[in-house]
Amino acid sequence: MTGGSLGVCMWSYGTLPDINGVIPGDEKFLHSKSLANVRKNSTKMFSGFREKERSLPSVWCRCLGCRKISMLLLIAFALLVFVLGSLAVDKETISLNVDQQIGTLSMVLPYVNGAPSNPGASWIFGKKDKQNDENYLVANILNEDEENRFRIVGSKGAIVLPSNHPCTKFTFPPPPPPNLRRIGPRPCPVCYLPVDQAIASMPSSPSASPVLQNLTYVHDENPIKTEPHGGSDFGGYPSIKQRSNSFDVKESMTVHCGFVKRSKPGLQTGFDFDESDLAELQQFHDIIVASAIFGNYDVIQQPRNVSEEAKKNIPFYMFIDEETEAYIKNKSILESSKRVGLWRIVVVRNVPKLLLHRIFPNVRYSIWIDGKLQLVVDPYQILEKFLWRQNANFAISRHYRRFDVFVEAEANKAAGKYDNSSIDEQVGFYKQEGLTPYSEAKFPITSDVPEGCVLIKEHIPITNLFTCLWFNEVDRFTSRDQLSFAIVRDKIRAKVDWNINMFLDCERRNFVIQTYHRDLLEQMPPPVATVSRRPPGLPSMRVRTPGKRVTRRRSSSRRHRKAAGGNRDQFLLSTF
């Protein structure tokens, strides 16, 4: 049956009731005199070719039956939908292949809302915000070449792992199906080296710093604000001219970088440390891990899966304020050695997380994690995966959904993260300086918006300069560091050959777990303890009477409620 004949039959099937008032599909109708009357009436109304054309559908209906005709129509419609769908899939597949050639990722799929955020795969899983994702490019292309080696295309080009590398044949499994119970960003698998191999991968000497070799910092005991833009006594008040000069990367430079009232961090700098802690912070370490909790806002989370080598060689520093210190002292958690588990406690007024190189001037590598996060992977493995394996000296995850500064600014305004006029002023200033919306023209840069809760850094002059200038932007404009990240990065990259490893947000969620803030935990009801009691006088075991059938009653969920001891404070402090 041709498509034309199906169409004619559909037309005839729809017009018959209008002619004789009989409901189509009635078997009696097909074999009654009504059909003859219809044919007779059509003969009177039409003649010649039109008469034959009109009577042809009735012949089909007589031979096959209208029910069969309707089934054929449904089959034809299904075939049509299948063909159109196949054409759409072929079109999208071609588009995906083109995207892969310019750097998109087909194997690594960050799990966002139960589906990957890779635009190449969005045609399969669907996207709520397709307009914002259409130019999204995913870094770290993983594909297997002819020599059975993994090629990782990162910010510094292709990196070929040796064939015996444990992660050579690592591939990402497909994302889990959407789950209404678990929405939002999700972690994805990451291939880490065993701890001993990760330690062996540590570079024996510092990475080369392009152009910049000597970096010193402004010391001004009486900083004065001379221009209307922001600033602070802690960071100083660099003028617009000084700001512009700080982006002109040279071999030797002096820039504003916090702690301006003293030549080094310490007393009377704005963020003061106790004298007893200053000597500790000056010591040499290959690697340190740092975090901070202020205002008793978070619960101290103990790192997990940390190797004995890391516990022995890597200090973990937790910066807290006096309010948080009073709380943990009241709970008898703080030891006399100023330790809470793995964390060495340092009491300060505040700590700028971007300036760890100033707080720890004799450290090679640092990992910063926000206080709301719990570290669940060994630090050696993290550094090997995101710095050493990538030949990078600064790594940060990109935002799981937004990658454009202008979109991020609007999201901050909608969420009330900061004063809207201040955000508009900052973004407008950057736009005048040449900041443009993100596009594929910026590749291999894959995003302009980072997720700043984790910073992985090698302390060399160029990365120290970057974090200094990034902090200055935060100090000058708003505290929303996602807005100022791209402008600083791009200005430095315009002067020197230097890049940042912006890895997938789902990879970050693999090695840190986000927990609830303390205020939310304290609002949660304490676990309820229930004790099942046997009524007095009943035997401990039921004795079945021979010949009598025992009917078991299905217990209610209340009787099977799990027993849970303890109170809210014990739950809050369970990680200490």
Side-chain angles (χ1 to χ4, degrees), residues 378-417:
D378 190 88
Y380 287 113
Q381 295 175 306
I382 295 173
L383 287 166
E384 190 281 328
K385 170 64 177 71
F386 298 105
L387 286 191
W388 305 334
R389 193 188 307 176
Q390 307 290 335
N391 291 332
N393 44 57
F394 192 92
I396 188 172
S397 66
R398 54 179 174 264
H399 196 277
Y400 74 96
R401 174 171 295 174
R402 294 184 290 274
F403 49 90
D404 184 276
V405 173
F406 299 95
V407 176
E408 175 68 17
E410 293 303 316
N412 276 261
K413 290 164 59 178
K417 297 290 186 178

Side-chain angles (χ1 to χ4, degrees), residues 523-561:
Q523 292 175 12
M524 294 180 180
V528 178
T530 59
V531 179
S532 58
R533 296 181 178 179
R534 186 175 65 254
L538 293 180
S540 59
M541 297 180 62
R542 289 185 177 181
V543 179
R544 181 176 178 179
T545 304
K548 185 176 181 180
R549 184 175 181 181
V550 178
T551 302
R552 297 183 180 274
R553 297 179 59 187
R554 183 172 296 178
S555 301
S556 65
S557 60
R558 180 179 300 178
R559 293 186 179 184
H560 282 273
R561 185 179 298 167

Side-chain angles (χ1 to χ4, degrees), residues 94-105 118-119 134-141 143 153-154 438-446:
I94 295 173
S95 176
L96 176 58
N97 291 335
V98 172
D99 288 340
Q100 289 174 347
Q101 292 177 3
I102 63 174
T104 57
L105 175 65
N118 181 5
E134 59 184 359
N135 293 325
Y136 185 69
L137 299 176
V138 182
N140 298 335
I141 306 172
N143 44 21
V153 181
Y438 180 80
S439 68
E440 61 187 34
K442 293 188 176 183
F443 189 79
I445 294 297
T446 56

Side-chain angles (χ1 to χ4, degrees), residues 243-259:
R243 176 184 178 273
S244 300
N245 292 338
S246 66
F247 291 110
D248 186 14
V249 183
K250 302 177 180 178
E251 183 176 358
S252 297
M253 298 179 65
T254 300
V255 297
H256 287 77
C257 196
F259 304 101

Side-chain angles (χ1 to χ4, degrees), residues 27-45:
E27 296 296 337
K28 295 180 180 180
F29 166 77
L30 295 177
H31 302 287
S32 67
K33 295 181 180 180
S34 300
L35 183 59
N37 293 334
V38 172
R39 298 169 69 179
K40 184 177 180 180
N41 293 335
S42 66
T43 304
K44 295 180 179 180
M45 295 173 62

Side-chain angles (χ1 to χ4, degrees), residues 133-270:
D133 292 339
E134 59 184 359
N135 293 325
Y136 185 69
L137 299 176
V138 182
N140 298 335
I141 306 172
L142 304 180
N143 44 21
E144 194 173 0
D145 61 14
E146 301 79 12
E147 300 180 359
N148 195 28
R149 296 182 180 181
F150 242 147
R151 183 177 58 195
I152 304 176
V153 181
S155 59
K156 291 193 174 184
I159 302 171
V160 180
L161 298 179
S163 57
N164 60 350
H165 194 283
C167 295
T168 299
K169 297 183 179 181
F170 172 75
T171 58
F172 280 80
N179 187 345
L180 296 179
R181 290 186 175 183
R182 184 175 184 181
I183 61 176
R186 304 172 70 171
C188 57
V190 175
C191 182
Y192 300 104
L193 284 185
V195 174
D196 57 342
Q197 297 184 31
I199 295 175
S201 301
M202 181 188 297
S204 58
S205 59
S207 300
S209 177
V211 181
L212 179 61
Q213 304 300 318
N214 301 302
L215 182 64
T216 55
Y217 310 109
V218 170
H219 173 210
D220 186 359
E221 295 185 2
N222 297 297
I224 299 175
K225 185 175 182 178
T226 58
E227 295 182 354
H229 293 83
S232 66
D233 286 347
F234 171 77
Y237 301 95
S239 63
I240 293 296
K241 182 178 180 180
Q242 289 175 318
R243 176 184 178 273
S244 300
N245 292 338
S246 66
F247 291 110
D248 186 14
V249 183
K250 302 177 180 178
E251 183 176 358
S252 297
M253 298 179 65
T254 300
V255 297
H256 287 77
C257 196
F259 304 101
V260 296
K261 292 185 177 181
R262 292 290 183 270
S263 58
K264 62 180 181 180
L267 297 177
Q268 299 179 356
T269 60

